[in-house]
Amino acid sequence: QTVVTQEPSFSVSPGGTVTLTCGLSSGSVSTNYYPSWYQQTPGQAPRTLMYRTNTRSSGVPDRFSGSILGNKAALTITGAQADDESDYYCVLYMGSGIWVFGGGTKLTVL
Amino acid sequence: EVQLVESGGDLVQPGGSLRLSCAASGFTFSNYAMHWVRQAPGKGLEYVSAVSSNGGSTFYANSVKGRFTISRDNSKNTLYLQMGSLRAEDTAVYYCARRPGAPNYYYMDVWGKGATVTVSS
């Protein structure tokens, strides 16, 4: 059973930089897993932020960036703003039509 | 405007059945694979099922395999999720989502607002 791991919570100061990560319980995340990232605020549908590791979705500001850091996918927010306070989910494509979501990271901006 | 609108959510008893629909508009529905993703109360997102653009290939999470059936009617621009043998743990908001049609674009780019399914006696 593949588990995609994310930090349960993270805190960043306004204007600060934070990096959220997305790993595998066994093995390394690479671009071959086509990591994508989604932002969700309470009561709302997810919003697509990033796909194919580091491509921003339409309308996403360039203070959001994606990468592979070591053996994990990463989402970095540079110059965090109050409205970045959300839950962030990564998804990995495992092949054969199987997708696995991470457990999500609750980001607090304070 | 590209839009996905789910419907059919309801309160259903354990062991019961329900069919969700997702009406698509603003794009050529038949060009896109489609997904269902759910979120239990206070929990994270969970992949449920996916169907190819022509309906010929379907995929399911282990948690719903054998109980749920995904399908689509491209003439009606509608995606379906037939849910059976429902359990309390199927209680969730169910989102439909679009996957871009280009090869090797494995992500969901458009999401509906969700339909709420509650399984309880």
Side-chain angles (χ1 to χ4, degrees), chain A residues 36-110:
Chain A
S36 55
W37 292 88
Y38 305 85
Q39 178 190 48
Q40 188 184 38
T41 52
Q44 301 296 314
R47 170 198 180 198
T48 305
L49 290 178
M50 199 76 58
Y51 60 94
R52 298 190 81 177
T53 304
N54 57 10
T55 303
R56 279 185 297 275
S57 190
S58 177
V60 174
D62 60 7
R63 54 199 180 76
F64 289 88
S65 62
S67 64
I68 299 290
L69 285 181
N71 62 351
K72 297 181 179 182
L75 177 72
T76 299
I77 307 172
T78 304
Q81 300 181 359
D83 61 2
D84 295 335
E85 186 161 294
S86 301
D87 295 326
Y88 292 85
Y89 295 91
C90 71
V91 177
L92 301 181
Y93 180 63
M94 313 306 288
S96 301
I98 302 302
W99 305 63
V100 182
F101 280 84
T105 296
K106 182 177 183 62
L107 180 66
T108 301
V109 180
L110 53 75

Side-chain angles (χ1 to χ4, degrees), chain B residues 14-102:
Chain B
S17 299
L18 197 65
R19 188 178 82 161
L20 301 182
S21 300
C22 171
S25 59
F27 64 99
T28 304
F29 181 67
S30 58
N31 287 350
Y32 293 83
M34 297 295 296
H35 295 248
W36 287 100
V37 175
R38 69 184 180 183
Q39 187 170 36
K43 303 295 185 182
L45 299 171
E46 178 189 15
Y47 160 80
V48 173
S49 184
V51 62
S52 61
S53 58
N54 64 4
S57 297
T58 56
F59 308 93
Y60 299 93
N62 287 337
S63 58
V64 306
K65 199 173 293 183
R67 300 188 299 121
F68 290 12
T69 301
I70 191 172
S71 63
R72 62 191 298 161
D73 186 336
N74 285 346
S75 68
K76 295 182 178 179
N77 293 336
T78 303
L79 173 73
Y80 302 101
L81 185 68
Q82 179 69 48
M83 303 184 291
S85 301
L86 283 162
R87 307 165 180 166
E89 54 264 36
D90 296 317
T91 295
V93 175
Y94 285 74
Y95 296 101
C96 69
R98 185 183 82 168
R99 180 197 145 190

Side-chain angles (χ1 to χ4, degrees), chain A residues 22-45:
Chain A
C22 175
L24 282 170
S25 55
S26 177
S28 299
V29 176
S30 70
T31 57
N32 293 331
Y33 288 95
Y34 301 91
S36 55
W37 292 88
Y38 305 85
Q39 178 190 48
Q40 188 184 38
T41 52
Q44 301 296 314

